[in-house]
Amino acid sequence: MRRVGAVLAVLGALLWAGAWAQGLSPGEKEQAAQIFFDRCAGCHGVLRKGATGPALDPKKMAERGVEYLKAVIFGGLPGGMPDWGRQGILSEKETELMARFLLEEPPAPPIPSYEEIRKTWKVYVPPEKRPTKSEHTRNWQNFFGQVLRDTGQVAIIDGDKKELVTIVPTGFATHILRSSATGRYFMAIGRDGKASLIDLWMNPPRVVAESKPCVDARSIESSKFKGYEDKYAVVGCYWPPTMVILDGLTLEPLKMVSTMSYTKGAGEFVQEARVAAIVASQFNPEWIVNLKESGQTWLVDYSKLGQKGRPLPITMIDTERFLHDGGWALKRYFIVAANAVNKLIVIDTKTREFVAEVEAGVRPHPGRGSNWTHPTYGPVWATGNIGSPEVTVVGVDPEKHPQYAWKAVKRIQLPYTGTLFIKTHPNSPWVIVDFPMSPSPQAAASLCAIDKRKLEVAKCWEVPGAQDLKARMVHPEFNKGGTEIWVSAWGSKDTPTFIVIYDALTLKEKARITGDWVRTPTGKFNVYNTAYDIY
Ligand code: DHE
């Protein structure tokens, strides 16, 4: 049922590429291509050229041998390669299939036409039929949008009452949510490239528009500059490598831009130049769009899209390869991780310049990172690292604290590796750190709190019940007032888990959200903090 078209397309491409290898039947190839697309392509690239994960060149894979590949796929590797077999996601048979698939030349999935994409565009409630004020009395600015990854849904939870408001369908393996500039809409992006617009003012909140501008995507953002609030949206695609601009209120595809390019503007030509993090500038009517494989950061000016011919000025800055995720410092500097080269890249969105690069730990993964003001170093921003047990704290104020700006002022030692996300709030003394990529189940079920003044770990604890559910604690997020920290227990789709809520001062557990619907909860996004970039 799911993405049969995509499977057939991948299979078609396999045939087209003449990638028949001995031993794999057409059925096996189809299955392996789909598993690779769903589970592996995000890190290794659909063409297997490598990014977050290493390149998987068929000749090198053949040298390593099927037995070695099976062991790695099943049991994982320290530093990020998931243990797909041990987690129960791939059976032994599927593990062997994937090992054999890696010996073959990778197929390139076809590229959908604009007509095909346009057919995916649906407006369920046109803007003029939507409410002009909230239809309910709930405090929607303190709603949380909880991604239920493997059910392809988003749960809207009332953060004041800690009760489920509704569950809406979104894309396959839904990845993230972003708030529109006003916070009224959540925009969801699925790994199948489906964008969904959720109106939080409706009673109950519902998907009012959707479109699927590509077949594989990870990012979505709205236009936030004054005068353009909620007017446009942009989807960052992994495949085809494109950036697609949509109408912000209907998600109608308006403009598709290929991101294939030469690395850093003058190197090797990369077909698979995937769009990673996108943020919306407050200083200019533009998005900061980060291209992973080509190592470019684009400043995309959306202010002229209303003119004849939809002009789209793009300023291309050569930064660093393997850009991934990142966030704001002082709401002016965008800091993005070039994770495969252990660097942080800093863009000043006011002057529109590439200002610095900072040495991080091993494979920095900030999510959006965390901001606070330290008594000595002044304003700082911090990231966790997947491959080293470290939170890297960077000085970010070149005007008042130039001696610390763009330097790692502290490398806080953690007890474990495997951090994906860290988060804080101006009203909390703590930065909360997760470890979902740790190979140790005990570490993956644990959290740590860092003291923002002392710049050291104050407390680490294992979340009771998480290991019993084979769950990894992931993605801390504060409520609007900064008085609570919410963290999800990410287990398998077959078993409901929970979202745990801590007091943001005492770190004592306050509540748990449970229910049959709590399956594979991953990222969760507080409306106010997401709309106003508070982290
Ligand atoms: Fe993400 C952010 C890509 C796996 C949960 N992830 C991002 C961003 C990118 C990205 C480019 C930044 C988006 C932005 O800001 O515009 N993620 C990828 C991958 O390529 C990767 C490594 C592999 C894949 O196949 O997708 C991947 N991501 C995951 C997960 O396995 C996570 C933990 C669970 C899930 O839902 O799939 C996951 N990624 C997230 C979350 C964010 C994110 C929750 C946003 C963090 C935030 O606070 O903003």
Side-chain angles (χ1 to χ4, degrees), residues 231-310:
K231 195 167 167 52
Y232 299 113
V234 59
V235 169
C237 300
Y238 267 19
W239 193 267
T242 46
M243 164 186 77
V244 182
I245 297 171
L246 310 171
D247 180 284
L249 293 180
T250 65
L251 301 190
E252 178 186 6
L254 299 178
K255 188 140 186 145
M256 340 253 298
V257 182
S258 166
T259 53
M260 287 184 193
S261 183
Y262 290 86
T263 51
K264 296 202 198 172
E268 173 203 347
F269 183 76
V270 274
Q271 201 186 359
E272 192 171 8
R274 299 180 291 176
V275 180
I278 305 180
V279 289
S281 170
Q282 297 189 6
F283 290 99
N284 298 293
E286 60 192 9
W287 291 299
I288 293 87
V289 176
N290 295 279
L291 308 187
K292 191 186 281 292
E293 283 80 4
S294 66
Q296 296 176 2
T297 298
W298 287 6
L299 309 181
V300 178
D301 176 355
Y302 50 72
S303 67
K304 297 179 173 53
L305 283 169
Q307 297 173 16
K308 192 170 164 54
R310 298 197 197 285

Side-chain angles (χ1 to χ4, degrees), residues 60 119 265 308 341 354 380 411 462 493 517:
K60 286 206 180 117
K119 277 190 201 143
K308 192 170 164 54
V341 291
F354 173 13
V380 293
R411 297 182 186 274
E462 186 184 329
K493 190 180 163 188
W517 57 273

Side-chain angles (χ1 to χ4, degrees), residues 269-533:
F269 183 76
V270 274
Q271 201 186 359
E272 192 171 8
R274 299 180 291 176
V275 180
I278 305 180
V279 289
S281 170
Q282 297 189 6
F283 290 99
N284 298 293
E286 60 192 9
W287 291 299
I288 293 87
V289 176
N290 295 279
L291 308 187
K292 191 186 281 292
E293 283 80 4
S294 66
Q296 296 176 2
T297 298
W298 287 6
L299 309 181
V300 178
D301 176 355
Y302 50 72
S303 67
K304 297 179 173 53
L305 283 169
Q307 297 173 16
K308 192 170 164 54
R310 298 197 197 285
L312 187 73
I314 300 177
T315 303
M316 298 178 177
I317 306 178
D318 298 336
T319 50
E320 187 49 88
R321 293 193 72 193
F322 311 117
L323 302 175
H324 191 77
D325 53 350
W328 290 105
L330 297 176
K331 300 198 179 174
R332 168 173 172 175
Y333 303 100
F334 181 63
I335 308 185
V336 55
N339 60 11
V341 291
N342 307 331
K343 280 185 188 161
L344 301 167
I345 299 301
V346 186
I347 302 287
D348 182 346
T349 61
K350 192 172 176 189
T351 60
R352 307 175 74 249
E353 286 166 345
F354 173 13
V355 289
E357 52 183 71
V358 182
E359 211 52 47
V362 179
R363 284 213 281 138
H365 193 281
R368 282 166 288 166
S370 286
N371 287 277
W372 71 98
T373 300
H374 184 265
T376 308
Y377 304 119
V380 293
W381 177 93
T383 181
N385 296 274
I386 300 174
S388 54
E390 167 187 324
V391 166
T392 317
V393 185
V394 180
V396 295
D397 182 16
E399 284 168 10
K400 297 198 188 111
H401 298 81
Q403 68 274 42
Y404 303 121
W406 318 132
K407 295 194 173 89
V409 295
K410 185 85 187 186
R411 297 182 186 274
I412 302 169
Q413 289 306 298
L414 300 169
Y416 321 111
T417 57
T419 295
L420 281 185
F421 302 107
I422 71 171
K423 199 63 65 73
T424 192
H425 187 282
N427 294 342
S428 174
W430 316 113
V431 178
I432 306 298
V433 185
D434 68 11
F435 305 94
M437 297 303 284
S438 167
S440 143
Q442 183 262 330
S446 299
L447 298 167
C448 286
I450 287 173
D451 184 321
K452 287 184 345 193
R453 289 175 68 85
K454 291 186 184 158
L455 300 184
E456 62 187 33
V457 171
K459 179 183 173 183
C460 294
W461 68 99
E462 186 184 329
V463 177
Q467 268 207 77
D468 302 339
L469 295 168
K470 295 204 169 93
R472 296 171 274 166
M473 300 310 298
V474 71
H475 200 247
E477 175 83 341
F478 284 73
N479 64 344
K480 182 182 173 216
T483 56
E484 292 168 357
I485 306 148
W486 294 39
V487 197
S488 310
W490 177 16
S492 96
K493 190 180 163 188
D494 306 328
T495 316
T497 59
F498 57 87
I499 301 154
V500 64
I501 303 173
Y502 293 101
D503 182 296
L505 226 48
T506 64
L507 298 176
K508 292 222 169 82
E509 185 175 324
K510 258 180 104 168
R512 276 186 191 212
I513 293 180
T514 54
D516 191 57
W517 57 273
V518 190
R519 289 170 191 259
T520 59
T522 51
K524 75 214 65 60
F525 300 85
N526 176 269
V527 169
Y528 189 84
N529 295 340
T530 309
Y532 298 99
D533 298 308

Side-chain angles (χ1 to χ4, degrees), residues 42 149 175-176 178 191 218-219 238 278 368 475 522:
R149 186 190 190 282
H175 185 227
I176 63 166
R178 290 293 182 238
R191 279 184 172 73
R218 295 296 181 282
S219 49
Y238 267 19
I278 305 180
R368 282 166 288 166
H475 200 247
T522 51

Side-chain angles (χ1 to χ4, degrees), residues 5-48:
V7 175
L8 291 174
V10 171
L11 181 60
L14 266 164
L15 286 164
W16 173 79
W20 297 98
Q22 293 193 344
L24 281 193
S25 71
E28 285 178 321
K29 272 186 241 293
E30 177 185 352
Q31 190 191 357
Q34 184 67 65
I35 293 174
F36 192 87
F37 200 70
D38 290 347
R39 302 282 178 195
C40 320
C43 291
H44 299 283
V46 74
L47 302 180
R48 302 189 207 151

